[in-house]
């Protein structure tokens, strides 16, 4: 039997399918390459035309692999896993020897990962703080005790030493049950929840069809993590006599902190966030019900309408209760104003 994996010139690798080869090209190729490249990364390389067979580009990740197939894949140079400091401006709300509190803008990834090795919050923090960041989070996540999605704005706290990191991490893990930590968000959602205040208690886990997404799971299933969101409707836009609204501004308080929790929970009860192309794509046509000015504002809003406006925690050294609030960013203010002022 021939070796299915041999090195060609440069970064080109040749993969030969043996008599047992089967399945999709992206899955088979990922298995051959080992742990260095994830399936999602291999899929991107295929779509980018980096895979050939018999001199022709193979750009379909779903292509079926058959015994005897030979593929060449052009692999990029490995990335240095150690993030470097970059002179990126930070909106600093508070800083001392133990921690730094910032207001994260939209479009900033929190820490380096595949596809986002530079321009992250960690790169900015390394430049600003030097070697003082806590190392508990690892080389790619120094000082990071919690995260916000790339396109979510708002308050974050980062640890500058290991003692602060452990104390803050314990507070986030406690979810405010015995410690004073509290996190609150504001979001613009489609429609209006049936009740103006309520709680969403729905476990979350990975979506079986797309592991980058989260989905509501049945309690007791293997990957179901407890997830509880409390919400209150702050303002309703264009409410009709039958108590329906085109959109609403809601405030959400997290009792747990799962990935994409608010986005998934609000979509689960039928009210996804405006601008959320992952969990609310099916609601995009609702913008057509708006007058031109409001429709333009909604269609041009390039992210999920979610803002982490408040964070409260106990200072890890002094024990002081610290509370930080950041008003809605300009783009969400403009969105709310357009919905508020639209005449139907």
């Amino acid at each position: 039997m021939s070796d299915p994996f041999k090195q060609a010139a440069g970064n080109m690798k040749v993969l030969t399918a043996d008599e047992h080869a089967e399945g999709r090209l992206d899955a088979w190729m990922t298995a051959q390459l080992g742990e260095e490249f994830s399936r999602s990364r291999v899929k991107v390389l295929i779509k980018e035309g980096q895979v050939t067979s018999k001199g022709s580009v193979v750009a379909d990740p779903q292509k079926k692999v058959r015994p005897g197939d030979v593929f060449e894949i052009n692999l990029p140079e490995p990335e240095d896993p150690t993030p470097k400091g970059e002179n990126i401006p930070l909106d600093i709300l508070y800083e001392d020897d133990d921690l730094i509190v910032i207001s994260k803008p939209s479009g900033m990834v929190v820490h380096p990962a595949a596809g986002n090795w530079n321009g992250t919050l960690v790169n900015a923090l390394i430049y600003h703080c030097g070697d003082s960041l806590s190392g508990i989070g690892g080389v790619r996540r120094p000082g990071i005790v919690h995260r916000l999605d790339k396109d979510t704005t708002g308050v974050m706290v980062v640890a500058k030493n290991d003692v602060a990191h452990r104390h803050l991490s314990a507070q986030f893990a406690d979810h405010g049950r015995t410690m004073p930590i509290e996190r609150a968000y504001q979001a613009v959602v489609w429609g209006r929840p049936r009740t103006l205040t309520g709680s969403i208690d729905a476990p979350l886990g990975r979506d079986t069809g797309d592991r980058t997404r989260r989905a509501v799971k049945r309690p007791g299933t293997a990957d179901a993590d407890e997830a509880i969101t409390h919400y209150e409707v702050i303002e309703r836009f264009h409410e009709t006599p039958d108590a329906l609204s085109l959109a609403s501004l809601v405030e959400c308080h997290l009792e747990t902190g799962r990935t994409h929790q608010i986005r998934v929970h609000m979509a689960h009860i039928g009210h996804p966030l405006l601008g959320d192309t992952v969990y609310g794509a099916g609601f995009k046509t609702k913008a057509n019900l708006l007058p031109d000015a409001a429709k333009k504002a909604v269609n041009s809003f390039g992210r999920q309408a979610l803002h982490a406006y408040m964070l409260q925690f106990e200072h890890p050294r002094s024990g002081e209760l610290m509370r930080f609030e950041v008003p809605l960013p300009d783009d969400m203010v403009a969105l709310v104003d357009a919905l508020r002022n639209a005449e139907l």
Side-chain angles (χ1 to χ4, degrees), residues 306-329:
L306 183 62
H307 175 64
Y309 88 90
M310 189 273 286
L311 176 63
Q312 175 181 285
F313 58 87
E314 180 182 279
H315 192 282
R317 186 178 301 273
S318 69
E320 177 186 358
L321 184 64
M322 309 192 75
R323 182 184 178 96
F324 299 91
E325 295 189 18
V326 177
L328 286 177

PDB file of all heavy atoms in Angstrom, residues 306-329:
ATOM      1  N   LEU A 306     -26.882  44.369  19.084  1.00  0.00           N
ATOM      2  CA  LEU A 306     -26.672  43.920  20.455  1.00  0.00           C
ATOM      3  C   LEU A 306     -25.538  44.708  21.086  1.00  0.00           C
ATOM      4  O   LEU A 306     -24.460  44.849  20.498  1.00  0.00           O
ATOM      5  CB  LEU A 306     -26.350  42.430  20.472  1.00  0.00           C
ATOM      6  CG  LEU A 306     -26.162  41.777  21.847  1.00  0.00           C
ATOM      7  CD1 LEU A 306     -27.436  41.865  22.679  1.00  0.00           C
ATOM      8  CD2 LEU A 306     -25.740  40.317  21.681  1.00  0.00           C
ATOM      9  N   HIS A 307     -25.786  45.203  22.303  1.00  0.00           N
ATOM     10  CA  HIS A 307     -24.823  46.051  22.996  1.00  0.00           C
ATOM     11  C   HIS A 307     -24.766  45.665  24.468  1.00  0.00           C
ATOM     12  O   HIS A 307     -25.788  45.654  25.162  1.00  0.00           O
ATOM     13  CB  HIS A 307     -25.243  47.521  22.852  1.00  0.00           C
ATOM     14  CG  HIS A 307     -24.396  48.478  23.628  1.00  0.00           C
ATOM     15  ND1 HIS A 307     -23.051  48.672  23.378  1.00  0.00           N
ATOM     16  CD2 HIS A 307     -24.707  49.315  24.674  1.00  0.00           C
ATOM     17  CE1 HIS A 307     -22.572  49.584  24.211  1.00  0.00           C
ATOM     18  NE2 HIS A 307     -23.547  49.983  25.007  1.00  0.00           N
ATOM     19  N   ALA A 308     -23.573  45.330  24.965  1.00  0.00           N
ATOM     20  CA  ALA A 308     -23.380  45.003  26.378  1.00  0.00           C
ATOM     21  C   ALA A 308     -23.201  46.309  27.147  1.00  0.00           C
ATOM     22  O   ALA A 308     -22.079  46.770  27.339  1.00  0.00           O
ATOM     23  CB  ALA A 308     -22.158  44.093  26.540  1.00  0.00           C
ATOM     24  N   TYR A 309     -24.299  46.871  27.606  1.00  0.00           N
ATOM     25  CA  TYR A 309     -24.233  48.234  28.133  1.00  0.00           C
ATOM     26  C   TYR A 309     -23.808  48.327  29.595  1.00  0.00           C
ATOM     27  O   TYR A 309     -23.358  49.375  30.050  1.00  0.00           O
ATOM     28  CB  TYR A 309     -25.587  48.936  27.945  1.00  0.00           C
ATOM     29  CG  TYR A 309     -26.586  48.740  29.054  1.00  0.00           C
ATOM     30  CD1 TYR A 309     -26.634  49.616  30.132  1.00  0.00           C
ATOM     31  CD2 TYR A 309     -27.492  47.682  29.022  1.00  0.00           C
ATOM     32  CE1 TYR A 309     -27.560  49.443  31.152  1.00  0.00           C
ATOM     33  CE2 TYR A 309     -28.416  47.505  30.029  1.00  0.00           C
ATOM     34  CZ  TYR A 309     -28.443  48.387  31.094  1.00  0.00           C
ATOM     35  OH  TYR A 309     -29.350  48.197  32.098  1.00  0.00           O
ATOM     36  N   MET A 310     -23.926  47.217  30.352  1.00  0.00           N
ATOM     37  CA  MET A 310     -23.604  47.301  31.779  1.00  0.00           C
ATOM     38  C   MET A 310     -22.863  46.060  32.253  1.00  0.00           C
ATOM     39  O   MET A 310     -23.200  44.930  31.883  1.00  0.00           O
ATOM     40  CB  MET A 310     -24.887  47.473  32.597  1.00  0.00           C
ATOM     41  CG  MET A 310     -24.638  47.777  34.074  1.00  0.00           C
ATOM     42  SD  MET A 310     -24.438  46.293  35.104  1.00  0.00           S
ATOM     43  CE  MET A 310     -26.143  45.723  35.166  1.00  0.00           C
ATOM     44  N   LEU A 311     -21.827  46.298  33.068  1.00  0.00           N
ATOM     45  CA  LEU A 311     -21.100  45.207  33.715  1.00  0.00           C
ATOM     46  C   LEU A 311     -20.799  45.611  35.152  1.00  0.00           C
ATOM     47  O   LEU A 311     -20.263  46.686  35.405  1.00  0.00           O
ATOM     48  CB  LEU A 311     -19.796  44.905  32.975  1.00  0.00           C
ATOM     49  CG  LEU A 311     -18.893  43.829  33.607  1.00  0.00           C
ATOM     50  CD1 LEU A 311     -19.594  42.478  33.620  1.00  0.00           C
ATOM     51  CD2 LEU A 311     -17.566  43.732  32.850  1.00  0.00           C
ATOM     52  N   GLN A 312     -21.166  44.743  36.078  1.00  0.00           N
ATOM     53  CA  GLN A 312     -20.915  44.978  37.497  1.00  0.00           C
ATOM     54  C   GLN A 312     -20.155  43.780  38.068  1.00  0.00           C
ATOM     55  O   GLN A 312     -20.463  42.626  37.760  1.00  0.00           O
ATOM     56  CB  GLN A 312     -22.236  45.143  38.247  1.00  0.00           C
ATOM     57  CG  GLN A 312     -22.103  45.274  39.757  1.00  0.00           C
ATOM     58  CD  GLN A 312     -23.447  45.411  40.428  1.00  0.00           C
ATOM     59  OE1 GLN A 312     -24.074  46.469  40.368  1.00  0.00           O
ATOM     60  NE2 GLN A 312     -23.915  44.336  41.054  1.00  0.00           N
ATOM     61  N   PHE A 313     -19.133  44.055  38.885  1.00  0.00           N
ATOM     62  CA  PHE A 313     -18.363  42.975  39.495  1.00  0.00           C
ATOM     63  C   PHE A 313     -17.666  43.493  40.745  1.00  0.00           C
ATOM     64  O   PHE A 313     -17.607  44.704  40.998  1.00  0.00           O
ATOM     65  CB  PHE A 313     -17.322  42.418  38.507  1.00  0.00           C
ATOM     66  CG  PHE A 313     -16.351  43.448  37.985  1.00  0.00           C
ATOM     67  CD1 PHE A 313     -15.173  43.746  38.667  1.00  0.00           C
ATOM     68  CD2 PHE A 313     -16.621  44.143  36.810  1.00  0.00           C
ATOM     69  CE1 PHE A 313     -14.287  44.699  38.192  1.00  0.00           C
ATOM     70  CE2 PHE A 313     -15.747  45.102  36.323  1.00  0.00           C
ATOM     71  CZ  PHE A 313     -14.575  45.383  37.014  1.00  0.00           C
ATOM     72  N   GLU A 314     -17.128  42.573  41.519  1.00  0.00           N
ATOM     73  CA  GLU A 314     -16.371  42.907  42.721  1.00  0.00           C
ATOM     74  C   GLU A 314     -14.899  43.013  42.361  1.00  0.00           C
ATOM     75  O   GLU A 314     -14.339  42.119  41.727  1.00  0.00           O
ATOM     76  CB  GLU A 314     -16.581  41.822  43.767  1.00  0.00           C
ATOM     77  CG  GLU A 314     -15.841  42.043  45.068  1.00  0.00           C
ATOM     78  CD  GLU A 314     -16.068  40.891  46.023  1.00  0.00           C
ATOM     79  OE1 GLU A 314     -17.120  40.864  46.686  1.00  0.00           O
ATOM     80  OE2 GLU A 314     -15.191  40.000  46.096  1.00  0.00           O
ATOM     81  N   HIS A 315     -14.259  44.101  42.781  1.00  0.00           N
ATOM     82  CA  HIS A 315     -12.839  44.249  42.487  1.00  0.00           C
ATOM     83  C   HIS A 315     -12.061  43.129  43.167  1.00  0.00           C
ATOM     84  O   HIS A 315     -12.263  42.846  44.354  1.00  0.00           O
ATOM     85  CB  HIS A 315     -12.324  45.610  42.969  1.00  0.00           C
ATOM     86  CG  HIS A 315     -10.964  45.946  42.454  1.00  0.00           C
ATOM     87  ND1 HIS A 315      -9.813  45.403  42.991  1.00  0.00           N
ATOM     88  CD2 HIS A 315     -10.555  46.741  41.422  1.00  0.00           C
ATOM     89  CE1 HIS A 315      -8.762  45.864  42.338  1.00  0.00           C
ATOM     90  NE2 HIS A 315      -9.180  46.684  41.370  1.00  0.00           N
ATOM     91  N   PRO A 316     -11.182  42.439  42.433  1.00  0.00           N
ATOM     92  CA  PRO A 316     -10.509  41.249  42.982  1.00  0.00           C
ATOM     93  C   PRO A 316      -9.575  41.526  44.148  1.00  0.00           C
ATOM     94  O   PRO A 316      -9.277  40.615  44.927  1.00  0.00           O
ATOM     95  CB  PRO A 316      -9.736  40.705  41.773  1.00  0.00           C
ATOM     96  CG  PRO A 316      -9.578  41.871  40.855  1.00  0.00           C
ATOM     97  CD  PRO A 316     -10.804  42.692  41.037  1.00  0.00           C
ATOM     98  N   ARG A 317      -9.114  42.766  44.310  1.00  0.00           N
ATOM     99  CA  ARG A 317      -8.192  43.054  45.410  1.00  0.00           C
ATOM    100  C   ARG A 317      -8.891  43.819  46.548  1.00  0.00           C
ATOM    101  O   ARG A 317      -8.800  43.443  47.717  1.00  0.00           O
ATOM    102  CB  ARG A 317      -7.004  43.879  44.914  1.00  0.00           C
ATOM    103  CG  ARG A 317      -5.919  44.088  45.978  1.00  0.00           C
ATOM    104  CD  ARG A 317      -4.740  44.870  45.406  1.00  0.00           C
ATOM    105  NE  ARG A 317      -4.144  44.185  44.271  1.00  0.00           N
ATOM    106  CZ  ARG A 317      -3.196  43.262  44.369  1.00  0.00           C
ATOM    107  NH1 ARG A 317      -2.738  42.891  45.548  1.00  0.00           N
ATOM    108  NH2 ARG A 317      -2.691  42.704  43.278  1.00  0.00           N
ATOM    109  N   SER A 318      -9.602  44.876  46.206  1.00  0.00           N
ATOM    110  CA  SER A 318     -10.198  45.734  47.240  1.00  0.00           C
ATOM    111  C   SER A 318     -11.556  45.242  47.718  1.00  0.00           C
ATOM    112  O   SER A 318     -12.013  45.624  48.796  1.00  0.00           O
ATOM    113  CB  SER A 318     -10.335  47.159  46.704  1.00  0.00           C
ATOM    114  OG  SER A 318     -11.323  47.216  45.677  1.00  0.00           O
ATOM    115  N   GLY A 319     -12.229  44.418  46.901  1.00  0.00           N
ATOM    116  CA  GLY A 319     -13.576  43.989  47.244  1.00  0.00           C
ATOM    117  C   GLY A 319     -14.636  45.019  46.919  1.00  0.00           C
ATOM    118  O   GLY A 319     -15.828  44.806  47.176  1.00  0.00           O
ATOM    119  N   GLU A 320     -14.238  46.156  46.358  1.00  0.00           N
ATOM    120  CA  GLU A 320     -15.176  47.225  46.019  1.00  0.00           C
ATOM    121  C   GLU A 320     -16.121  46.775  44.907  1.00  0.00           C
ATOM    122  O   GLU A 320     -15.707  46.102  43.959  1.00  0.00           O
ATOM    123  CB  GLU A 320     -14.398  48.465  45.560  1.00  0.00           C
ATOM    124  CG  GLU A 320     -15.276  49.631  45.109  1.00  0.00           C
ATOM    125  CD  GLU A 320     -14.457  50.760  44.524  1.00  0.00           C
ATOM    126  OE1 GLU A 320     -13.213  50.651  44.508  1.00  0.00           O
ATOM    127  OE2 GLU A 320     -15.069  51.750  44.078  1.00  0.00           O
ATOM    128  N   LEU A 321     -17.397  47.144  45.024  1.00  0.00           N
ATOM    129  CA  LEU A 321     -18.366  46.859  43.974  1.00  0.00           C
ATOM    130  C   LEU A 321     -18.181  47.878  42.857  1.00  0.00           C
ATOM    131  O   LEU A 321     -18.293  49.088  43.081  1.00  0.00           O
ATOM    132  CB  LEU A 321     -19.788  46.937  44.523  1.00  0.00           C
ATOM    133  CG  LEU A 321     -20.904  46.557  43.542  1.00  0.00           C
ATOM    134  CD1 LEU A 321     -20.782  45.093  43.129  1.00  0.00           C
ATOM    135  CD2 LEU A 321     -22.276  46.832  44.158  1.00  0.00           C
ATOM    136  N   MET A 322     -17.889  47.421  41.666  1.00  0.00           N
ATOM    137  CA  MET A 322     -17.610  48.297  40.537  1.00  0.00           C
ATOM    138  C   MET A 322     -18.694  48.096  39.481  1.00  0.00           C
ATOM    139  O   MET A 322     -19.059  46.958  39.151  1.00  0.00           O
ATOM    140  CB  MET A 322     -16.226  48.021  39.956  1.00  0.00           C
ATOM    141  CG  MET A 322     -15.121  48.011  40.989  1.00  0.00           C
ATOM    142  SD  MET A 322     -13.477  48.028  40.268  1.00  0.00           S
ATOM    143  CE  MET A 322     -13.361  49.741  39.739  1.00  0.00           C
ATOM    144  N   ARG A 323     -19.196  49.195  38.940  1.00  0.00           N
ATOM    145  CA  ARG A 323     -20.270  49.130  37.960  1.00  0.00           C
ATOM    146  C   ARG A 323     -19.944  50.090  36.820  1.00  0.00           C
ATOM    147  O   ARG A 323     -19.620  51.256  37.058  1.00  0.00           O
ATOM    148  CB  ARG A 323     -21.613  49.510  38.597  1.00  0.00           C
ATOM    149  CG  ARG A 323     -22.820  49.417  37.650  1.00  0.00           C
ATOM    150  CD  ARG A 323     -24.076  49.914  38.354  1.00  0.00           C
ATOM    151  NE  ARG A 323     -25.246  49.886  37.502  1.00  0.00           N
ATOM    152  CZ  ARG A 323     -26.141  48.900  37.471  1.00  0.00           C
ATOM    153  NH1 ARG A 323     -25.994  47.862  38.282  1.00  0.00           N
ATOM    154  NH2 ARG A 323     -27.192  48.952  36.662  1.00  0.00           N
ATOM    155  N   PHE A 324     -20.030  49.585  35.600  1.00  0.00           N
ATOM    156  CA  PHE A 324     -19.713  50.391  34.429  1.00  0.00           C
ATOM    157  C   PHE A 324     -20.871  50.305  33.441  1.00  0.00           C
ATOM    158  O   PHE A 324     -21.406  49.214  33.185  1.00  0.00           O
ATOM    159  CB  PHE A 324     -18.428  49.891  33.758  1.00  0.00           C
ATOM    160  CG  PHE A 324     -17.223  49.967  34.651  1.00  0.00           C
ATOM    161  CD1 PHE A 324     -16.867  48.882  35.455  1.00  0.00           C
ATOM    162  CD2 PHE A 324     -16.455  51.120  34.712  1.00  0.00           C
ATOM    163  CE1 PHE A 324     -15.762  48.949  36.289  1.00  0.00           C
ATOM    164  CE2 PHE A 324     -15.350  51.198  35.547  1.00  0.00           C
ATOM    165  CZ  PHE A 324     -15.010  50.106  36.343  1.00  0.00           C
ATOM    166  N   GLU A 325     -21.247  51.449  32.898  1.00  0.00           N
ATOM    167  CA  GLU A 325     -22.310  51.511  31.900  1.00  0.00           C
ATOM    168  C   GLU A 325     -21.827  52.318  30.702  1.00  0.00           C
ATOM    169  O   GLU A 325     -21.143  53.335  30.864  1.00  0.00           O
ATOM    170  CB  GLU A 325     -23.579  52.140  32.477  1.00  0.00           C
ATOM    171  CG  GLU A 325     -24.217  51.319  33.585  1.00  0.00           C
ATOM    172  CD  GLU A 325     -25.589  51.859  33.987  1.00  0.00           C
ATOM    173  OE1 GLU A 325     -26.181  52.634  33.198  1.00  0.00           O
ATOM    174  OE2 GLU A 325     -26.062  51.489  35.085  1.00  0.00           O
ATOM    175  N   VAL A 326     -22.182  51.846  29.516  1.00  0.00           N
ATOM    176  CA  VAL A 326     -21.832  52.521  28.269  1.00  0.00           C
ATOM    177  C   VAL A 326     -23.101  52.687  27.456  1.00  0.00           C
ATOM    178  O   VAL A 326     -23.825  51.705  27.226  1.00  0.00           O
ATOM    179  CB  VAL A 326     -20.794  51.709  27.461  1.00  0.00           C
ATOM    180  CG1 VAL A 326     -20.501  52.387  26.138  1.00  0.00           C
ATOM    181  CG2 VAL A 326     -19.512  51.542  28.259  1.00  0.00           C
ATOM    182  N   PRO A 327     -23.430  53.908  27.028  1.00  0.00           N
ATOM    183  CA  PRO A 327     -24.661  54.112  26.253  1.00  0.00           C
ATOM    184  C   PRO A 327     -24.601  53.414  24.901  1.00  0.00           C
ATOM    185  O   PRO A 327     -23.520  52.985  24.453  1.00  0.00           O
ATOM    186  CB  PRO A 327     -24.721  55.637  26.088  1.00  0.00           C
ATOM    187  CG  PRO A 327     -23.303  56.087  26.220  1.00  0.00           C
ATOM    188  CD  PRO A 327     -22.670  55.162  27.212  1.00  0.00           C
ATOM    189  N   LEU A 328     -25.742  53.302  24.266  1.00  0.00           N
ATOM    190  CA  LEU A 328     -25.797  52.685  22.945  1.00  0.00           C
ATOM    191  C   LEU A 328     -24.816  53.367  21.996  1.00  0.00           C
ATOM    192  O   LEU A 328     -24.691  54.597  22.002  1.00  0.00           O
ATOM    193  CB  LEU A 328     -27.208  52.796  22.356  1.00  0.00           C
ATOM    194  CG  LEU A 328     -28.301  51.886  22.925  1.00  0.00           C
ATOM    195  CD1 LEU A 328     -29.623  52.212  22.253  1.00  0.00           C
ATOM    196  CD2 LEU A 328     -27.961  50.416  22.741  1.00  0.00           C
ATOM    197  N   PRO A 329     -24.119  52.601  21.175  1.00  0.00           N
ATOM    198  CA  PRO A 329     -23.212  53.211  20.194  1.00  0.00           C
ATOM    199  C   PRO A 329     -24.006  53.949  19.116  1.00  0.00           C
ATOM    200  O   PRO A 329     -25.218  53.747  18.971  1.00  0.00           O
ATOM    201  CB  PRO A 329     -22.463  52.011  19.607  1.00  0.00           C
ATOM    202  CG  PRO A 329     -23.396  50.859  19.803  1.00  0.00           C
ATOM    203  CD  PRO A 329     -24.112  51.131  21.096  1.00  0.00           C
TER     204      PRO A 329
END
